[in-house]
Amino acid sequence: MIQSGEEAILAGLVAGGIGPARSRERFLEGEAVQTGVRGLILNSWQRCRVLGLPLGGFELPYRDFDPEDRLVRAATPVLDRLRTRFRGSPMNIALADEDGTVLQRRFGDDSWARTLPPIQQTPGFVFAEQFAGTNGIGLALAERRLIQVYGAEHFSERGLTNGCSAIPVRDPLSARIEGILCLAYPRSSGHPVLDGVLRRAAQAIERRLLAQSSARERGLLRAYLDAAGAAGTGAGGGHTVGVDAFVQGLPRRDQMMIKERAAELLSHGQRAAIDVTLSDGRRVTLVSRPMTSAAGVEGMVIEAMFPDHSPTPPLTLPSHLTVPPPSGRGAPADGTTAPKAPAAGARRAERGHVTDGLAGLVLVGEPEVGKYALAARRRMELLSEASASIGTTLDVRRTAQELAETAVPGLADFVTIDLPDAVLRGDEPLDPRHDLRRAVIHGIRDDCPFYPVGKRIAYHPTTPQLRCVNTGHAVLEPDLKTAAGWLLQDPEHTTRLLSHVRSLIAVPLVARGTVLGIVSFYRSLDPAPFGDDDRSLAQELATRAALSMDNARRYTREHNMVLALQHSLLPHGVPSQDAVEVAHRYLPAESRVGGDWYDIIPLPGTRVGLVVGDVVGHGMHSAATMGRLRTAARSFAELDFPPDEVLTHLDNLVLRLDREESSEGSGDGFGIIGATCLYVVYDPTSQRCAMARAGHPPPALVRPDGTVSFPDLPAGPPLGLGGLPFETAEIEVSEGSQLVLYTDGLIEDRHRGIDVALDRLRTVLAQPERTPEDTCQAVLDDVAPVHPCDDIAVLVARTHAFDAQRVATWELPAEPAVVPEIRAAADRQLADWGREEIAFVAELLLSELVTNALRHASGPIRVRLLHGRTLICEVSDTSSTSPHLRRAATTDEDGRGLFLVAQLALAWGTRHTPDGKVIWAECPLGTP
């Protein structure tokens, strides 16, 4: 039964009153235990096994202790109140020190206490985990927080019938663990209210510890005031003002500066003097000197000295330093005698250059307290620095490096960070305990023998690194020489590390419930080992960094998805054609993926189409839009439209897509107006280029003699504006020239002008002997921005000329008699080319195409044979009417010619010219 105010609370079962008995049995039999037991308990069991602790019958060590210890004095009234509260119940109240040594015992029922083993009745026995196994006191010391242990969660058999709750008691000034407060009870008598009772009791002990510190500080202040009274003036040798009047009369910036420098002086614990320049240019000298209270407490006082003289205001003290009136002149309230102040001349000699003037008491206290205050301020500065320096990029590895650089040397001497491969790729980590790789090593020196970057790390289950993952909290190991679980990881390796490092804090990198990795903070042999404040700071740094790393991981995943989409939408390889020798490059932006694309499109008549385009914007939407435009551009090009018509159709498509998105009312702000495109058609038979552009940079033309020019093409509006025409321009291109098409990411850079970039491009291209592959690489190496903020697509095509000996042309009148003549002429030409085996098919194709032109067109007819990869038969006429394939009925007299052409040819089609149209058909070649 537990007394809670006026109400008696009946205790109930906790964890079934037994705990994970079956899991404990499986663990002791050597089986792997993954579920059914809490992570901190499993970690403790594993440490106990590593230490070789027996399950029962082992003797606990006994240590002498000071019964008048400050912790005992602070806790005694609180323990007495707890005993009163639990009177009549089987409650065992224990107070242990920071080493696990039991200092005090209280029992709710003395008769029940006599049934316990002597070890649980007498103070002095050590219940640290390394001696007693898993228990409340030992686990609270290991975990450094409130814990509960029930029944079979104990490692020792003697604890299986018990339950307990334990909490650390900390020094309010230093945050150091002074001891452990533990409530033990039969395993069936626990209750959730005990946690609240335990917390309030620990807080009461901590308040009494703080009161002890305040009394020491008040004694130092009384000694200072008595010394001032004995001297007849201010202790500083001049006029003395109170702390409030002196500090609050200054601007806030000056107040903070003086307080910070005073805390630094106090923490050093020795005589010193420093000058501080205020914001108005005045100089203040801060002087520190020792002071001993009547009770023998040694401390320091910090005074501020102004060289100028001012009227002396009355002495006032801050509320937390208020001193009760003395019982007699020159005597403290406790009746002791204050030390005599040094003479004024001696004080001036100590301060050296300081002259008498306005003096003010800034700070009084013990050096250790000053160190804690200084450390607290530096921790705040470190957190502020972390907010500005961690997460400056969306790169997981760089964010981890920033965490390490921030922590060294402000918190740790060395930092290692281990991340799963999946996190580095931007994926979700499946099991971070078994997929870790060393990602970062950073420290004050480079000679510490940590596992190298890139090495796969397999931590032992008892190491602090895996314990922190299992519990989700930072794990502190103040002394690695006694950390059995850490030493077990790799005895040879850890032995080498012990010559460089002293203590460790392992923290899981957890963001949004996902463990992204582990960061380990190490301190070397010289500075003090890590404490609980350091652990809290390490946890805060890791939490902030983990959020930035998770943002970077998510961005990496999205970036990779967009890259994969864009890569799938770009052409793979170069299609077979004889018109040009082609090379291409695509370079995505460093931070965002855009909508740049390129394509090489074989066209009828041995021609080739070259296209580059750019969808304004970045991300998945731009990449998807790029894919739609590239597919549409290829379809329009294969219909053999001239360049200006291809752009017109693309413009209409973009307008239609915009209207569709607007009608959906998504309101997401996506827009594809602003897409640009350049389309070039090269004909190797005439060595001429027809090109048109829609708001895109013009191509570069590199002639065989090295001359580089940028053809003056009509600019044309960007795609999606609608209603504005596009124009096609034609230029003659010599054989062996290079056409260089690119997107604006190549020449647009915030650090240079476009003219500068074009001049640089002209210089790089003025080497015509390069292959297209070499030209592409040279352009990216010498012209592209070092850190491109936009995608870059480059397409280089070296032109070839079609052999005139492989072209045969006939001009024919529009008369039926020309049909047999052209068949005969084609037979002779194919015989000259050594292609008699396809003569019959070529005759049929030419007969049908010429007959079709005679029946449906007017004017002269032009026939051309091109002997390339295939035999291309072309028939030109002056009509703009395009034939179309249809299925003729059995009663129809015509309509079968094009059907026959479609059956015999690899491909056939129609393209329009300024003078009419061309009907063409490709005939496969046999073995020559």
Side-chain angles (χ1 to χ4, degrees), residues 589-797:
E590 281 192 347
S591 59
R592 301 172 297 173
V593 178
D596 293 14
W597 89 91
Y598 59 90
D599 209 348
I600 304 103
I601 309 168
L603 298 175
T606 70
R607 296 168 304 140
V608 66
L610 306 174
V611 59
V612 291
D614 182 6
V615 176
V616 176
H618 299 84
M620 186 74 73
H621 183 265
S622 295
T625 303
M626 175 273 289
R628 299 167 82 174
L629 291 183
R630 178 192 167 231
T631 301
R634 189 177 189 92
S635 299
F636 296 145
E638 289 179 344
L639 290 174
D640 229 338
F641 293 136
D644 57 330
E645 292 190 26
V646 169
L647 297 183
T648 299
H649 287 296
L650 287 177
D651 186 47
N652 293 333
L653 172 64
V654 172
L655 284 171
R656 186 164 60 254
L657 294 176
D658 275 343
R659 284 195 298 268
E660 290 175 358
E661 289 194 358
S662 299
S663 63
E664 292 174 0
S666 60
D668 52 14
F670 287 140
I672 56 178
I673 293 179
T676 66
C677 184
L678 169 64
Y679 181 46
V680 176
V681 176
Y682 172 66
D683 187 347
T685 62
S686 63
Q687 299 180 42
R688 295 187 64 82
C689 268
M691 56 186 73
R693 62 185 179 124
H696 201 87
L701 176 61
V702 185
R703 299 192 180 275
D705 61 0
T707 303
V708 180
S709 63
F710 298 92
D712 186 15
L713 303 182
L719 299 177
L721 295 184
L724 297 176
F726 300 96
E727 298 181 46
T728 297
E730 286 196 9
I731 61 172
E732 187 172 345
V733 179
S734 305
E735 181 180 7
S737 299
Q738 287 190 354
L739 286 166
V740 182
L741 288 68
Y742 51 89
T743 55
D744 56 6
L746 179 68
I747 57 175
E748 291 184 358
D749 185 10
R750 67 186 66 178
H751 302 296
R752 68 181 180 188
I754 292 181
D755 292 340
V756 175
L758 289 175
D759 289 342
R760 182 60 183 163
L761 178 60
R762 188 191 305 271
T763 302
V764 172
L765 293 178
Q767 298 186 31
E769 69 280 359
R770 285 198 187 113
T771 65
E773 286 286 345
D774 293 339
T775 300
C776 275
Q777 194 59 48
V779 167
L780 291 185
D781 291 343
D782 297 338
V783 183
V786 177
H787 301 287
C789 58
D790 195 6
D791 294 17
I792 299 174
V794 179
L795 184 63
V796 179

Side-chain angles (χ1 to χ4, degrees), residues 363-383:
L363 195 62
V364 60
E366 298 176 69
E368 287 300 315
V369 176
K371 291 180 181 179
Y372 300 143
L374 188 62
R377 178 171 62 83
R378 288 175 175 169
R379 283 192 290 270
M380 292 300 295
E381 291 174 351
L382 186 62
L383 288 175

Side-chain angles (χ1 to χ4, degrees), residues 315-328:
L315 175 63
T316 58
L317 300 176
S319 59
H320 71 285
L321 292 181
T322 300
V323 181
S327 57

